[in-house]
Amino acid sequence: MKCRKCKVPAEISLPSHNTAFCRACFSTYFTGQVERAIDKHKLILPGESVLVALSGGKDSLTLMLELSRLGHDVTGLHVDLGIPVSSAAARAKVEGFCAQHGMKLHVVELIKEGLPIPDVKKYINRPVCSACGKIKRHWFNRVALEGGFHCLATGHNLDDEVARLFANTLRWDAGYLSDQGPCLQAESGFARKIKPLYRLTEFETACYAFINGISIHSAPCPYSGGASFTGHKALWSNLEYNSPGSKISFYDGFLKRGRPAFALVEKEEGHELSPCTSCASPTSTEVCGVCRLKIAVTERRAADPDRATDRVRDKA
Amino acid sequence: MIIVHVEPENQTLIFRSLNTVLMLQKRLGLRVTDALVIRGSELLTPDIQIQDGDEIHIRKVTSTG
């Protein structure tokens, strides 16, 4: 295969675009897609500060590097989940990456916040991925607001967005369908949230990470077995194979014709939000979901005889 | 003989012969964009010939959480 632009041997084949690129031309294409997303949806305005959520995976580190190269004022945010082995490895990747590139980094440690994910898994009777996502989003928003950042950027790619849109559509979840998209404007105690990689696939972000020598945390989360999004991604991979371009068509079509309709419904039926009485984060109840999780975990941990034994052993 | 390392499973497979990258991907049940195919420091497109003695890394790209 030859690079479509410069005709040297290609390294990256993109069937969805019926094309292939060499490294240099792929980088130009990649940057063009990010700039197009930023310009089209006004994700970042000149001079704005951006907090970038960093998990240690290929997408978030790629986003951080690309936004930095585009000249944006970026600061990383890593939430250390407190999962044995896995969290330390992910955090080391993030810290190493930021040190290597001289980037600012803020770390939230859930152990210090009294809500490590292993305890959530042990004491809360709901899917741990759902609770973990809620806790991470809570801290992303809180740090963005308290730090005075103009927006919070996440590394969601096209595959993530299509899988999530598909899941929301299967449930006809009007609340989520009303605001899913590359930009969620700031309102009611929420920072502006942006997804500058939404036009790029997982394969493309993986290629970018590889050719830029980004060392990533690739081990799957030990708690995420059977996550439904993984199955949805496989299903969409088949659709895309049989009909290249299906993903971006489905997503762009939703943004143009689906989301506005759901936004109207949500405007009429949505819940009023007010500050949480404990942490001031926006919530439709008196105490927000994360503070309620923290209260429940704290109570059940205190009543757990096994943990009491742990504490005695730790002191000894 | 061709040695193939598959990530993130950390599996190592040995093939006696393979013609192209596309053939390897098919043998592994992968589509073109399911994984990076790496030889040394280069990414391989599906049409590239695989040579006897090659050591290939397959890096699956789907994040699982």
Side-chain angles (χ1 to χ4, degrees):
Chain A
M1 283 183 182
K2 302 284 186 193
C3 173
R4 187 180 72 183
K5 283 190 168 180
C6 66
K7 311 305 178 196
V8 304
E11 274 196 72
I12 297 150
S13 167
L14 301 178
S16 292
H17 298 273
N18 193 26
T19 196
F21 291 121
C22 67
R23 284 187 186 207
C25 293
F26 174 76
S27 295
T28 304
Y29 155 81
F30 193 96
T31 298
Q33 292 294 322
V34 175
E35 286 181 317
R36 184 174 167 188
I38 291 172
D39 292 345
K40 185 174 181 183
H41 297 279
K42 297 182 174 52
L43 302 183
I44 308 169
L45 299 176
E48 287 193 331
S49 57
V50 186
L51 183 66
V52 183
L54 300 177
S55 65
K58 66 186 186 308
D59 302 308
S60 61
L61 298 183
T62 285
L63 174 63
M64 184 80 167
L65 185 59
E66 186 61 19
L67 290 182
S68 172
R69 285 178 173 173
L70 286 170
H72 296 292
D73 175 11
V74 288
T75 299
L77 167 62
H78 178 68
V79 178
D80 185 327
L81 304 175
I83 299 173
V85 184
S86 164
S87 292
R91 180 172 173 172
K93 292 290 184 189
V94 171
E95 289 177 337
F97 173 86
C98 289
Q100 180 190 350
H101 295 282
M103 294 165 167
K104 295 170 278 186
L105 175 66
H106 182 95
V107 178
V108 171
E109 296 179 9
L110 291 188
I111 288 177
K112 284 186 182 168
E113 301 301 332
L115 203 50
I117 297 304
D119 283 3
V120 175
K121 183 174 189 291
K122 186 173 184 183
Y123 298 116
I124 301 297
N125 186 26
R126 67 183 269 193
V128 69
C129 292
S130 151
C132 180
K134 193 180 190 73
I135 292 165
K136 284 191 287 190
R137 289 191 296 275
H138 169 92
W139 280 104
F140 293 166
N141 190 59
R142 200 161 153 178
V143 174
L145 290 177
E146 291 175 0
F149 293 92
H150 291 96
C151 57
L152 167 77
T154 55
H156 291 97
N157 57 49
L158 180 61
D159 294 273
D160 296 327
E161 283 297 278
V162 165
R164 183 169 168 235
L165 174 58
F166 185 61
N168 290 337
T169 306
L170 286 177
R171 296 194 312 275
W172 292 115
D173 192 323
Y176 285 124
L177 289 167
S178 70
D179 62 12
Q180 185 180 347
C183 184
L184 191 55
Q185 293 296 342
E187 61 170 348
S188 309
F190 288 108
R192 186 191 338 144
K193 296 182 183 68
I194 62 171
K195 299 169 185 170
L197 299 183
Y198 87 94
R199 299 190 57 80
L200 292 151
T201 64
E202 245 170 350
F203 178 73
E204 290 163 336
T205 60
C207 288
Y208 181 100
F210 178 81
I211 65 179
N212 285 285
I214 299 175
S215 178
I216 61 170
H217 177 67
S218 58
C221 172
Y223 296 165
S224 74
S228 60
F229 275 13
T230 310
H232 295 159
K233 283 182 178 178
L235 196 152
W236 271 95
S237 173
N238 285 337
L239 275 174
E240 183 73 20
Y241 178 76
N242 291 317
S243 182
S246 293
K247 290 177 191 169
I248 192 69
S249 172
F250 178 60
Y251 193 72
D252 271 346
F254 164 74
L255 292 180
K256 284 179 194 152
R257 296 183 290 280
R259 190 167 91 154
F262 286 104
L264 279 176
V265 174
E266 191 62 11
K267 200 172 179 182
E268 289 177 8
E269 300 176 2
H271 299 289
E272 287 283 319
L273 298 178
S274 56
C276 167
T277 53
S278 176
C279 73
S281 293
T283 176
S284 57
T285 56
E286 191 179 338
V287 178
C288 76
V290 171
C291 286
R292 278 185 275 134
L293 276 174
K294 189 173 177 179
I295 292 165
V297 166
T298 304
E299 287 175 355
R300 291 169 198 174
R301 188 166 47 209
D304 183 347
D306 291 342
R307 288 303 289 250
T309 310
D310 286 348
R311 282 193 295 273
V312 170
R313 194 188 313 135
D314 289 346
K315 280 180 184 174
Chain B
M1 189 174 70
I2 296 141
I3 300 172
V4 177
H5 304 284
V6 184
E7 303 167 20
E9 289 87 348
N10 285 327
Q11 281 182 321
T12 298
L13 307 170
I14 294 173
F15 293 88
R16 284 190 176 177
S17 67
L18 287 166
N19 190 9
T20 61
V21 169
L22 186 62
M23 181 184 281
L24 170 60
Q25 289 174 313
K26 283 187 174 171
R27 295 274 284 271
L28 296 175
L30 296 170
R31 301 260 164 74
V32 171
T33 56
D34 286 346
L36 305 186
V37 183
I38 304 161
R39 182 172 58 194
S41 61
E42 64 173 341
L43 293 172
L44 305 181
T45 51
D47 60 314
I48 295 291
Q49 297 278 329
I50 295 178
Q51 311 292 333
D52 185 35
D54 274 350
E55 190 161 351
I56 307 280
H57 286 261
I58 296 285
R59 188 174 294 169
K60 294 180 184 175
V61 302
T62 302
S63 53
T64 53

